[in-house]
Amino acid sequence: MHKPRKEMIAETRAKLIAAARHAFGTIGYAEASMDDFTASAGLTRGALYHHFGDKKGLLQAVIAEIDGEMAARVNEVAARAPTRWQHFVDECTTYIEMALEPEIQRIMFRDGPAVLGDPAQWPNANACIASMAGHLTTLQEEGVVVSGLDPETASRLINGASSQAAQRIANSNDPEATSKKVVTAFKQLLEGLLKRPGPQPN
C-alpha cells in the first residue's frame, strides 16, 4: 500500500534534516559533504535541492528544528521558577548555558552565525523578542521592573546580549569557565532592570 504523497514528503524532509544534523553536529557545516549525508539518508542530491534549495537552506531547517527543541527545554526549566522575574532570568540563562552542549555549540553558535549571519536577523528571533517583551511588560505592571523602560527595545538588547554570550562560550578555549563568567555578568546586567526602593526616574 502506497503512503500518501504528503507523508512521503514529510519523511524525506525528516530524513535529510536528521542526516544533515548529524553531519553538521559532528564534522561541521564546511566539512559536511552533501553527497555523503544524502547517501546516508538513502536519498539523492536532487531530493535535497527540491526540498531545501541548497546546503544553506538545509542548515536553516536544522537550526529551526534545534531551536524548537531548545525553546521547549528553556520553557520547561523556567516553568519551575518560583516568581515571574526568576522565570525571566532562567529563560535567558538556560538558553546561554546550552552553548556548552557540543551539537548546539557547533551548529547554533559557531557555524550558524558564520554561514547565516547575525542570529538577531534569523526568522525565530522576532518570536523570542515578542515573548521577552511580554514578560517585561507584565513585570512592569507588577512593579518588579523599572517603569521608564520600553519593553521591545530592552528585549532586543537582551536578545542580542544572550546571543553574544552564547557565541562567546561556544568559541572559547575553555567553555565551562567562560560559561560561569558569562552567566554571572549576564545576571548582573538583568538586575539593572529591577525597580529599586525610592523615587523612580520617568
Side-chain angles (χ1 to χ4, degrees):
M1 187 174 167
H2 289 297
K3 291 179 182 175
R5 179 172 161 73
K6 196 173 178 182
E7 192 178 321
M8 288 177 70
I9 289 170
E11 273 187 17
T12 301
R13 282 180 62 87
K15 279 182 186 175
L16 283 166
I17 290 171
R21 180 170 174 171
H22 176 73
F24 296 158
T26 50
I27 59 174
Y29 177 84
E31 298 300 319
S33 155
M34 290 195 288
D35 289 330
D36 287 349
F37 62 68
T38 50
S40 75
L43 297 163
T44 63
R45 262 197 191 216
L48 186 155
Y49 293 134
H50 175 72
H51 290 283
F52 301 102
D54 56 14
K55 188 179 173 185
K56 189 186 283 191
L58 188 49
L59 176 64
Q60 288 173 319
V62 169
I63 282 175
E65 180 175 88
I66 296 173
D67 186 67
E69 292 168 9
M70 289 172 71
R73 287 172 58 193
V74 163
N75 290 338
E76 190 181 332
V77 171
R80 297 196 286 266
T83 64
R84 193 183 300 277
W85 171 253
Q86 193 58 51
H87 182 287
F88 181 71
V89 173
D90 288 352
E91 273 192 342
C92 296
T93 56
T94 300
Y95 172 84
I96 291 168
E97 286 169 339
M98 285 184 194
L100 288 169
E101 298 175 26
E103 181 188 57
I104 290 173
Q105 188 179 103
R106 187 190 282 269
I107 297 174
M108 299 297 288
F109 300 125
R110 295 212 313 252
D111 287 353
V115 176
L116 303 176
D118 180 9
Q121 305 302 318
W122 292 1
N124 62 325
N126 284 338
C128 181
I129 289 162
S131 172
M132 272 191 199
H135 280 307
L136 285 177
T137 299
T138 306
L139 287 163
Q140 281 181 321
E141 289 165 356
E142 293 175 350
V144 177
V145 165
V146 290
S147 56
L149 183 79
D150 176 58
E152 188 191 346
T153 301
S155 297
R156 289 188 180 279
L157 292 172
I158 294 164
N159 184 61
S162 62
S163 177
Q164 286 296 314
Q167 287 177 64
R168 179 164 167 73
I169 294 165
N171 290 290
S172 167
N173 292 326
D174 187 350
E176 287 281 352
T178 302
S179 176
K180 289 183 174 67
K181 290 178 191 172
V182 162
V183 169
T184 298
F186 192 84
K187 283 180 176 176
Q188 286 178 322
L189 283 176
L190 289 185
E191 281 171 16
L193 301 172
L194 290 170
K195 200 167 188 175
R196 307 292 176 201
Q200 299 297 313
N202 292 322

